[in-house]
Amino acid sequence: MKILIKDFLKTDPYYVKVVVGEARVFVLRQVFTKMVQNCILDLPFESCGLLVGKPLFIEDIYKVRNIMESPVAFEMDSFEVTKILNFVNTKGEKFLGIYHSHPTAEPFPSYEDIKNFDYEDLFYFIVSLKYDYPIVGCFKIKDSKVIPVLIELI
């Protein structure tokens, strides 16, 4: 069953297609839903944000403004990122990853994504809105190599 993007805001993310990998990360269902919703609501521009929690367990999401306001690129507001990371540290949570959307592209890191991502310990989520339904990919990027990661919703 495919869920149309326009209907996603009132559906369960179980029906969103997910790119499969050998490594895995656990994500709270409501965090996953919020991530996809943020991306849909920011159309036609790329959406972005931070993912936090405990190692391998993403428990919370923080949307960050894309200062580029572009449908093909993103840059997080550095002031917002610093403020969020300071808050996350006071709560004892860990910064685990980032997400951004590809409004018109596949859910795989682009050349620019790979070139600009220097955090090999973080998860890199991409929400593709190219089709009538969202497709979400998660990756680790190490030494310019892209490693798919399985997303397990809990």
Side-chain angles (χ1 to χ4, degrees), residues 84-136:
I84 291 166
L85 292 179
N86 287 337
F87 176 70
V88 164
N89 285 335
T90 65
K91 289 176 54 177
E93 294 178 320
K94 301 272 187 230
F95 174 34
L96 299 178
I98 70 158
Y99 75 89
H100 80 281
S101 62
H102 283 178
T104 59
E106 299 292 338
F108 299 101
S110 68
Y111 172 77
E112 291 296 318
D113 291 338
I114 295 166
K115 182 177 85 170
N116 293 321
F117 193 70
D118 294 326
Y119 310 96
E120 64 181 39
D121 292 331
L122 297 180
F123 293 102
Y124 195 79
F125 284 77
I126 300 175
V127 179
S128 171
L129 302 171
K130 180 178 179 176
Y131 303 101
D132 289 338
Y133 49 89
I135 303 175
V136 181

Side-chain angles (χ1 to χ4, degrees), residues 1-5 7 11 15-17 131-134:
M1 175 180 185
K2 293 180 184 173
I3 300 298
L4 299 179
I5 288 175
D7 296 327
T11 63
Y15 295 105
V16 174
K17 292 192 173 193
Y131 303 101
D132 289 338
Y133 49 89

Side-chain angles (χ1 to χ4, degrees), residues 24-73:
R24 66 183 58 207
V25 62
F26 299 92
V27 182
L28 287 178
R29 187 174 295 274
Q30 61 265 29
V31 170
F32 185 87
T33 300
K34 185 68 174 170
M35 177 178 64
V36 176
Q37 287 174 338
N38 287 347
C39 293
I40 292 169
L41 292 172
D42 282 350
L43 285 170
F45 302 130
E46 286 198 9
S47 184
C48 55
L50 308 178
L51 300 163
V52 302
K54 298 179 185 99
L56 300 178
F57 185 75
I58 294 174
E59 301 174 306
D60 211 348
I61 182 172
Y62 295 90
K63 184 174 177 0
V64 178
R65 186 171 70 90
N66 176 0
I67 62 174
M68 295 181 82
E69 293 187 335
S70 166
V72 294

